[in-house]
């Protein structure tokens, strides 16, 4: 009999370790998960309940760990085409080196780069992705549409943070004037993107956030009006903040205050805001984020690659700030995988003042799942394995050479090599099986991204 809303198709996964990442960090050494349609029906110890109807698939998870799907909270997909460049630069020098290339992207390039970024993350266990896209050269087609199309093709849940820059060099900003939009143009295009793509319903596959880029590339008017627009439309707000000492100096020189005070003065602290990086935060900044419920996308690999510093994640968590993890753009984190961020969040924070007490493996897993769901405003739907939540989950293989000798599966997942994904589900729909994407042809994506990266290099060099 066919599946219906009253009689959903069920997938049963059993005989595996389960890390639910619920409020009590409940784990089962030998447990089960039952998926009914797009939601989780039950999670628990031992075998799945007997007598379930309409079981279309029963998976023996022996030697596996099942967790919530990973949630990425900060990325710039277009940077997939400019990986491995300006490898020994700090943030400002790196941006200045790359803006002229980025300002030449077009729609086929952006679509290919989005496919590459999404494919890389999905095959590594990401079930919810985001893209902060802030470069919109004139006359280059529907870039937002191309990104959303790539996310649909890949099959992951998705937030598009419609970015913008309007403070060019001649207004004291960092980007060249030819790389920025006008204030009115950016606001109007952002509003159109929300109208076209934002879906606020339970289980939505596409959401849109308002996301002016950073204090040194955006006018104060765009920050203020962007915040007003987001609140009028009922969508979330995202930006870069407190990333480097150079940004801090810029804010003091131009605005007479540090980044967090500047964000507060422009309406950019609140429960509907999450900010990438937040490396240079003093105690008062952390208290302001905690008081207002402002979230953080922690990007440890990128912060190391660009010599930005170490974000105070243990202090943020102690203060109750929502913290998720971000790959960041792959021009500053060439791996493009979120697993690396779980591992590096733990390792990098242990180099800070809290040393071995900085983060546990379970806290790192929480940052990459439930923490990400919180900062994206989707805690009620995803981020933990609990009945009624969406069936976004990953079955990780733990019985190979890489992990079999580690008794604790969560420690193995976080501290070990990237574990192979036997199965990932997004809303109950398989996206990865036995390490391969079901939705797009990885080899074809690899070829297209290589070709588009080469074309971008030729266009930048004036050869096309
Ligand atoms: N890590 C990054 N920081 C940024 N700030 C900014 O304005 N753009 C970027 C970026 O692409 N990556």
């Amino acid at each position: 009999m066919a599946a219906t809303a009253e009689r959903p198709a069920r997938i049963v996964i059993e005989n595996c370790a389960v890390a639910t990442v619920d409020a009590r960090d409940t784990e089962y050494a030998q447990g089960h998960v039952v998926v009914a349609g797009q939601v989780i029906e039950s999670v628990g110890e031992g075998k799945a309940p007997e007598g379930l109807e309409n079981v279309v698939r029963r998976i023996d998870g022996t030697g596996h760990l099942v967790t919530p799907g990973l949630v990425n909270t900060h990325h710039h997909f277009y940077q997939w085409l400019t990986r491995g460049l300006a490898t020994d630069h700090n943030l400002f020098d790196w941006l200045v080196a790359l803006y002229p290339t980025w300002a030449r992207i077009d729609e086929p390039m952006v679509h290919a780069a989005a496919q590459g970024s999404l494919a890389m993350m999905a095959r590594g266990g990401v079930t919810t992705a985001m893209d902060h896209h802030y470069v919109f050269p004139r006359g280059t087609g529907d870039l937002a549409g191309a990104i959303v199309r790539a996310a649909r093709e890949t099959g992951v849940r998705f937030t598009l943070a419609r970015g913008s820059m309007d403070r060019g060099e001649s207004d004291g900003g960092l980007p060249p004037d030819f790389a920025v939009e006008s204030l009115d143009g950016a606001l109007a295009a952002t509003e159109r993107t929300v109208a076209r793509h934002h879906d606020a319903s339970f289980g939505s596959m596409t959401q849109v956030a308002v996301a002016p880029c950073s204090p040194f590339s955006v006018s104060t008017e765009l920050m203020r009006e962007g915040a007003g627009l987001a609140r009028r439309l009922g969508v979330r707000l995202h930006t870069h903040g407190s990333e480097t000492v150079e940004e801090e100096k810029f804010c003091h020189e131009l605005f007479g205050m540090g980044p967090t005070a500047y964000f507060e003065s422009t309406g950019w602290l609140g429960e509907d805001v999450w900010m990438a990086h937040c490396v240079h935060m003093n105690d008062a900044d952390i208290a302001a984020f905690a008081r207002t419920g402002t979230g953080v996308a922690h990007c440890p690999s990128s912060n190391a690659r660009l010599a930005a510093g170490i974000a105070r994640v243990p202090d943020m968590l102690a203060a109750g700030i929502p913290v998720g993890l971000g790959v960041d753009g792959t021009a500053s984190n060439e791996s493009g995988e979120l697993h690396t961020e779980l591992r590096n969040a733990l390792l990098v924070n242990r180099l800070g003042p809290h040393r071995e007490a900085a983060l546990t493996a379970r806290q790192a897993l929480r940052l990459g799942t439930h923490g990400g769901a919180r900062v994206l405003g989707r805690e009620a739907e995803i981020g933990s394995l609990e009945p009624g939540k969406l069936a976004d989950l990953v079955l990780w293989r733990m019985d190979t050479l890489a992990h079999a000798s580690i008794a604790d599966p969560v420690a193995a997942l976080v501290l070990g090599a990237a574990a192979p994904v036997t199965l990932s589900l997004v809303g109950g729909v398989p996206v990865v099986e036995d390490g391969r994407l079901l939705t797009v042809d990885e080899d074809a994506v690899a070829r297209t991204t290589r070709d588009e990266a080469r074309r971008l290099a030729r266009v930048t060099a004036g050869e096309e």
Side-chain angles (χ1 to χ4, degrees), residues 192-245:
R192 275 198 306 277
T193 304
V194 174
R196 207 166 286 164
H197 299 296
H198 183 69
D199 170 9
S201 67
F202 180 86
S204 154
M205 291 299 285
T206 313
Q207 301 205 336
V208 179
V210 175
C213 186
S214 51
F216 51 83
S217 61
V218 174
S219 68
T220 303
E221 294 77 12
L222 181 50
M223 291 303 290
R224 284 218 178 90
E225 292 192 31
L229 176 69
R231 292 191 172 117
R232 177 162 62 77
L233 301 177
V235 300
R236 296 180 79 74
L237 300 82
H238 180 63
T239 192
H240 294 102
S242 307
E243 186 172 355
T244 62
V245 284

Side-chain angles (χ1 to χ4, degrees), residues 76 79 91 94-95 134 213-214 216 240 243 277 306 328:
H76 309 290
Q79 293 181 11
L91 174 71
W94 173 86
L95 285 170
Y134 61 83
C213 186
S214 51
F216 51 83
H240 294 102
E243 186 172 355
H277 305 299
L306 295 172
D328 201 4

Side-chain angles (χ1 to χ4, degrees), residues 410-423:
V410 173
L413 180 71
V414 172
L415 295 171
V421 173
T422 292
L423 179 71

Side-chain angles (χ1 to χ4, degrees), residues 71 73 296 322-325 365-376 383:
V71 177
T73 64
V296 171
V323 183
L325 293 179
L365 176 61
R366 177 171 290 279
L367 293 180
T369 53
H370 188 265
R374 266 184 94 191
V375 308
L376 294 182

Side-chain angles (χ1 to χ4, degrees), residues 95-365:
L95 285 170
V96 168
L98 291 172
Y99 283 137
T101 302
W102 293 343
R104 286 167 177 89
I105 54 175
D106 61 22
E107 190 178 320
M109 291 175 193
V110 167
H111 179 257
Q115 276 202 326
S117 303
L118 286 156
M120 192 70 203
M121 284 187 291
R123 69 199 282 286
V126 167
T127 54
T128 297
M130 77 78 75
D131 181 21
H132 184 191
H133 188 96
Y134 61 83
V135 187
F136 291 90
R138 251 175 240 123
T140 48
D142 178 12
L143 303 191
I147 297 163
V148 169
R149 183 156 46 91
R152 296 220 171 107
E153 288 158 354
T154 313
V156 298
R157 219 172 285 291
F158 182 55
T159 295
L160 173 62
R162 203 293 180 183
S164 46
M165 302 193 290
D166 72 333
R167 190 194 288 280
E169 260 176 321
S170 59
D171 292 321
L174 197 65
D177 289 351
F178 61 81
V180 305
E181 297 175 274
S182 68
L183 168 68
D184 291 343
L187 287 167
T190 304
E191 183 158 5
R192 275 198 306 277
T193 304
V194 174
R196 207 166 286 164
H197 299 296
H198 183 69
D199 170 9
S201 67
F202 180 86
S204 154
M205 291 299 285
T206 313
Q207 301 205 336
V208 179
V210 175
C213 186
S214 51
F216 51 83
S217 61
V218 174
S219 68
T220 303
E221 294 77 12
L222 181 50
M223 291 303 290
R224 284 218 178 90
E225 292 192 31
L229 176 69
R231 292 191 172 117
R232 177 162 62 77
L233 301 177
V235 300
R236 296 180 79 74
L237 300 82
H238 180 63
T239 192
H240 294 102
S242 307
E243 186 172 355
T244 62
V245 284
E246 290 81 11
E247 177 193 329
E248 214 175 4
K249 186 164 174 276
F250 179 96
C251 288
H252 278 289
E253 282 173 7
L254 214 73
F255 314 126
M257 59 187 108
T260 300
Y262 176 63
F263 289 127
E264 184 143 45
S265 75
T266 52
W268 274 79
L269 295 187
E271 276 181 0
D272 50 2
V273 181
W274 86 105
M275 235 172 266
H277 305 299
C278 302
V279 174
H280 297 276
M281 305 260 287
N282 60 29
D283 290 348
D285 298 333
I286 288 181
F289 270 53
R291 175 171 40 79
T292 55
T294 307
V296 171
H298 176 46
C299 307
S301 298
S302 169
N303 294 157
R305 160 81 156 79
L306 295 172
I310 302 173
R312 295 172 56 187
V313 172
D315 297 326
M316 294 175 187
L317 295 177
I321 295 173
V323 183
L325 293 179
V327 165
D328 201 4
T330 47
S332 64
N333 177 5
E334 277 73 2
S335 94
E337 290 183 304
L338 198 63
H339 165 266
T340 323
E341 303 315 298
L342 269 68
R343 191 164 188 271
N344 284 349
L346 185 151
L347 297 180
V348 162
N349 280 285
R350 289 203 179 169
L351 298 175
H354 297 274
R355 300 187 57 201
E356 68 277 12
L359 275 184
T360 65
R362 279 157 182 85
Q363 280 177 308
L365 176 61

Side-chain angles (χ1 to χ4, degrees), residues 387-408:
K389 280 199 171 182
L390 292 162
D392 290 13
L393 58 83
V394 182
L395 187 63
W396 307 92
R397 191 160 173 206
M398 289 293 163
D399 61 355
T400 68
L401 174 63
H403 302 95
S405 63
I406 306 176
D408 175 352

